[in-house]
């Protein structure tokens, strides 16, 4: 994502990313690339796991904050049960980096739609019980200036 593989500038009307943008190491460069790929007025929509979600863990029959939301940087992600490193960023970092790249933020969504029945196992990474406390994901719609 950090390196342009030859995509022309001002080519796309819309770019979307579903649970991929958070894998980038250099968010600023990635968003600058995406901005350059869009036509003026083009739309960028992306989703990623909400930065509060992985801060909360289920231990001894209750949810606790196990990591600081405010500390950003690469870290082991427990959801994968392997040695997977993901770069933790605050929601404000995504928003501010979009603005710095030239995007106009049109909408931010982090509402939660919960099923009627709770998860059988509240310790699952994506459980209803956890989603009652913090959103599992966020979606941002941004546009390139005309």
């Amino acid at each position: 994502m950090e390196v342009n593989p030859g995509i022309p500038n001002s080519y796309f009307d819309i770019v979307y990313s579903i649970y991929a943008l958070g894998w980038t190491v250099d968010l600023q460069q990635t968003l600058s690339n995406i901005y350059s790929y869009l036509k003026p007025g083009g739309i960028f929509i992306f989703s990623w796991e909400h930065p509060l979600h992985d801060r909360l863990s289920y231990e001894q029959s209750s949810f606790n904050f196990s990591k600081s939301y405010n500390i950003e940087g690469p870290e082991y992600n427990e959801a994968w049960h392997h040695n997977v490193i993901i770069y933790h960023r605050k929601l404000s970092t995504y928003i501010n980096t979009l603005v710095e790249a030239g995007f106009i933020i049109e909408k931010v969504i982090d509402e939660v739609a919960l099923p009627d029945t709770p998860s059988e196992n509240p310790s699952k990474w994506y459980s209803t019980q956890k989603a009652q406390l913090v959103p599992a994901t966020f979606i941002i719609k941004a546009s390139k200036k005309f």
Side-chain angles (χ1 to χ4, degrees):
M1 289 182 260
E2 294 88 354
V3 177
N4 182 340
I7 298 172
N9 287 340
S10 300
Y11 187 77
F12 294 104
D13 294 313
I14 187 166
V15 171
Y16 66 92
S17 167
I18 301 170
Y19 267 65
L21 189 66
W23 290 100
T24 188
V25 175
D26 187 342
L27 182 63
Q28 184 175 15
Q29 183 60 54
T30 298
L31 292 177
S32 293
N33 287 347
I34 293 167
Y35 189 86
S36 74
Y37 304 151
L38 284 168
K39 294 177 182 176
I43 301 294
F44 174 45
I45 299 172
F46 76 95
S47 64
W48 185 244
E49 186 171 271
H50 198 288
L52 280 174
H53 188 266
D54 72 345
R55 308 287 98 177
L56 203 59
S57 61
Y58 190 76
E59 300 164 6
Q60 300 176 355
S61 302
S62 65
F63 286 98
N64 301 298
F65 279 98
S66 56
K67 298 178 188 174
S68 171
Y69 173 78
N70 295 310
I71 298 173
E72 297 182 298
E75 64 185 24
Y76 171 73
N77 187 292
E78 300 85 23
W80 288 85
H81 305 292
H82 300 289
N83 290 329
V84 174
I85 304 295
I86 294 180
Y87 203 100
H88 174 75
R89 296 176 177 94
K90 298 183 292 185
L91 186 57
S92 61
T93 298
Y94 286 103
I95 292 170
N96 291 330
T97 308
L98 282 162
V99 171
E100 290 165 9
F103 284 100
I104 299 167
I105 308 296
E106 294 190 19
K107 189 143 187 141
V108 178
I109 299 171
D110 68 353
E111 286 86 17
V112 177
L114 297 171
D116 294 332
T117 58
S119 302
E120 288 181 30
N121 182 357
S123 66
K124 283 181 60 176
W125 191 254
Y126 295 113
S127 72
T128 304
Q129 294 87 332
K130 190 173 185 179
Q132 289 173 330
L133 300 172
V134 297
T137 191
F138 71 93
I139 302 167
I140 296 180
K141 178 184 179 187
S143 60
K144 182 175 181 175
K145 298 175 185 175
F146 277 100

